[in-house]
Every structure is written in C-alpha cells, then in structure tokens.
C-alpha cells in the first residue's frame, strides 16, 4: 500500500488597503443628551391648564396630546375663521353677480341698447369684486393656519387646546400641574428627549488629539454594564483646548 501525501491548499485573494489603528487612546467620558433630539414643549397660547396627560418618565409619541389648555384664544380663533369664511363666501357671490352684470351690459351695448360707459363701469366692478374675493380668501387661509397651529378643528367649537408632543421620546422634566394659569408662552411645560442616540463627551489630552479624527470608531465601556462594549463614532472635535486641563473636547 502506498500512502498519499496530502497536498498543501493554496488560495489567492486581491490585495486590499485598510486602515488599522496605530495607537489607542483611553479617556474618561460622560453621557449627554443629543441636543438635536431634545424638545421643550411650549404652550401655544396663554390659558389655564385643564389636564396633564403624562407623567415624569413616560414614553410618548410625536403628536400625542400631553397637556390640555383652556384658552379664550381658541374660541376667538374659531370665530375669526368662521367670519373670514363667511366674508369669502359673500365676496364670491358679489363677483358672480358682477360678472353677470358685465355680460348683460355687453349684450345690451352690442344691441345698441346701452352705452359703452355702462360696460366700462361693469368691468371695473368685476375687477373690484375679484380683488375683494382674493383678499377674503387670504384672510380665511390665514385664520385657518392659526387654527392648525393651535390644533383646533374648524368644525368643532371649543375653548380647549390639546398640546401635542413635538417628538417621540421620554418626559425628562415636568413643570406643569392642573389648574395652573400660564400667561408666558416662552416658559416650557415639559422637556421631551429622544434617547435612541446619546452623546459621549470625553476630554482628550492635547498630546493625543492629533490621533483622533472625525468619523473614526469609538468603543465605550460603562461600569454599570461590565463586559459590554458599546460602539460609536467621533462626530465633533472642539476647535480649542481647555487651558486649565490641557485637553480637547471630543464627542461621539
């Protein structure tokens, strides 16, 4: 019997160029909210807080009502819209009548039964009516836009306004309670943050910052999660360094 000697396997592959780390930087960091995903919920108009529909720490979806206000501005906005719609309807009737009058004046003038002056007057009336209708429609559109900003339905008369969550996330701060009167529309009712992404901010020493570039991967470890490694990428490198600590802020 003759034993066959195994033949060595040969493989070929295309040469690739890849980046590889030339050094490793370890720096302490802290978790911060993503500033692009934090929203202050502001009252759209002064009013009294009727109901608070969420609690601190609740998860909410964008568009979900979080607070109900009672405001005189709601009734006023609805009345203004109804009046603007009525004026636009009346302006359309005036335009239709003036167009009929013009057509009649032209027929009579063609039959030598009316002077040209009446045709010219009727034409001017039509132009005036068209301008009036355009202005009325603009006023109605503006009043409707006001209702939309307040979240009101033109078909439902109410003095209550539902304030929606502007983004999906969690309620991190709640500074409103039922029966409060809110006159300052710049004072937030609550803070909602999307925690699906967060910032990790580190202070890298001045001597090592040359090794850090925007876009490179970062491995993150937390004492609260031993053995787990989270991954991110460098998004920002500060343009200046801290003169006291001789470090540069890096955010991933």
């Amino acid at each position: 019997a003759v034993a066959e000697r195994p033949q060595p396997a040969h493989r070929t592959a295309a040469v690739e160029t890849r980046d590889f780390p030339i050094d490793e930087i370890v720096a302490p960091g802290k978790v911060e909210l993503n500033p692009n995903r934090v929203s202050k919920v502001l009252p759209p108009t002064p009013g009294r807080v009727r109901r608070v529909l969420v609690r601190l720490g609740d998860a909410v979806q964008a568009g979900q009502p979080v607070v109900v206000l009672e405001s005189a501005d709601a009734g006023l906005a609805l009345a203004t819209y109804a009046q603007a719609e009525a004026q636009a309807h009346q302006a359309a009737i005036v335009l239709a009548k003036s167009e009929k009058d013009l057509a009649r004046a032209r027929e009579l003038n063609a039959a030598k039964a009316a002077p040209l002056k009446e045709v010219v007057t009727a034409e001017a009336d039509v132009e005036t009516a068209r301008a009036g209708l355009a202005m009325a429609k603009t006023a109605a559109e503006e009043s409707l836009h006001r209702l939309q900003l307040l979240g009101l339905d033109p078909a439902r008369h109410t003095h209550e306004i539902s304030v929606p969550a502007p983004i999906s996330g969690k309620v991190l701060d709640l500074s409103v309670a039922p029966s409060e009167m809110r006159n300052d529309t710049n004072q937030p009712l609550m803070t909602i943050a999307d925690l699906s992404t967060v910032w990790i901010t580190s202070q890298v020493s001045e001597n090592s910052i040359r090794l850090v570039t925007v876009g490179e991967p970062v491995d993150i470890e937390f004492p609260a999660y031993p053995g787990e490694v989270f991954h991110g990428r460098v998004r920002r490198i500060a343009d200046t360094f801290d003169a006291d600590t001789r470090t540069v802020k890096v955010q991933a």
Side-chain angles (χ1 to χ4, degrees):
V2 179
E4 295 183 0
R5 179 177 298 175
Q7 298 297 319
H10 296 280
R11 290 188 300 175
T12 60
V15 177
E16 297 179 357
T17 301
R18 294 183 179 179
D19 294 330
F20 64 92
I22 60 174
D23 205 344
E24 182 180 71
I25 300 172
V26 178
K30 62 179 180 179
V31 180
E32 296 180 346
L33 296 176
N34 185 341
N36 298 321
R37 300 300 300 165
V38 178
S39 180
K40 302 286 187 181
V41 180
L42 301 174
T45 182
R48 185 176 300 279
V49 179
R50 291 295 304 272
R51 295 184 296 277
V52 179
L53 306 177
V54 295
R55 295 177 295 181
L56 190 65
D58 281 357
V60 298
Q61 298 296 319
Q64 173 184 334
V66 293
V67 174
V68 176
L69 296 176
E70 183 181 19
S71 174
D73 288 352
L76 178 60
L78 287 166
T80 300
Y81 172 73
Q83 182 179 7
E85 279 286 281
Q87 290 175 346
H89 179 68
Q90 183 62 32
I93 294 175
V94 172
L95 175 59
K97 181 180 182 304
S98 62
E99 288 176 339
K100 289 181 180 179
D101 292 343
L102 174 60
R104 179 61 176 166
R106 285 173 174 169
E107 289 177 0
L108 293 174
N109 178 256
K112 307 299 183 179
L116 181 61
K117 180 180 178 181
E118 291 187 7
V119 175
V120 173
T121 301
E123 288 175 343
D125 291 342
V126 168
E127 292 302 317
T128 301
R130 285 175 179 168
L133 178 59
M135 292 179 61
K137 284 184 175 180
T138 299
E141 290 172 357
E142 290 180 354
S143 59
L144 178 59
H145 181 61
R146 172 63 175 165
L147 292 183
Q148 292 171 343
L149 290 177
L150 295 176
L152 295 172
D153 182 358
R156 179 173 174 266
H157 188 78
T158 180
H159 285 84
E160 290 189 350
I161 298 173
S162 294
V163 182
I167 62 173
S168 299
K170 284 199 172 184
V171 179
L172 296 188
D173 177 69
L174 189 63
S175 54
V176 62
S179 299
E180 284 185 356
M181 187 66 191
R182 288 299 183 97
N183 293 317
D184 186 359
T185 56
N186 293 317
Q187 183 180 1
L189 304 171
M190 65 186 68
T191 302
I192 298 174
D194 178 3
L195 303 180
S196 59
T197 61
V198 293
W199 288 106
I200 301 296
T201 300
S202 297
Q203 300 292 339
V204 178
S205 66
E206 181 184 7
N207 295 332
S208 301
I209 196 63
R210 60 185 175 82
L211 302 173
V212 182
T213 59
V214 173
E216 69 174 307
V218 176
D219 292 336
I220 305 152
E221 298 179 356
F222 296 97
Y225 301 97
E228 281 195 70
V229 178
F230 298 83
H231 306 287
R233 288 190 176 276
V234 176
R235 293 293 299 273
R236 295 176 182 171
I237 301 175
D239 295 324
T240 59
F241 69 93
D242 189 315
D244 296 329
T245 61
R246 310 296 297 184
T247 59
V248 178
K249 180 186 288 188
V250 174
Q251 290 182 305

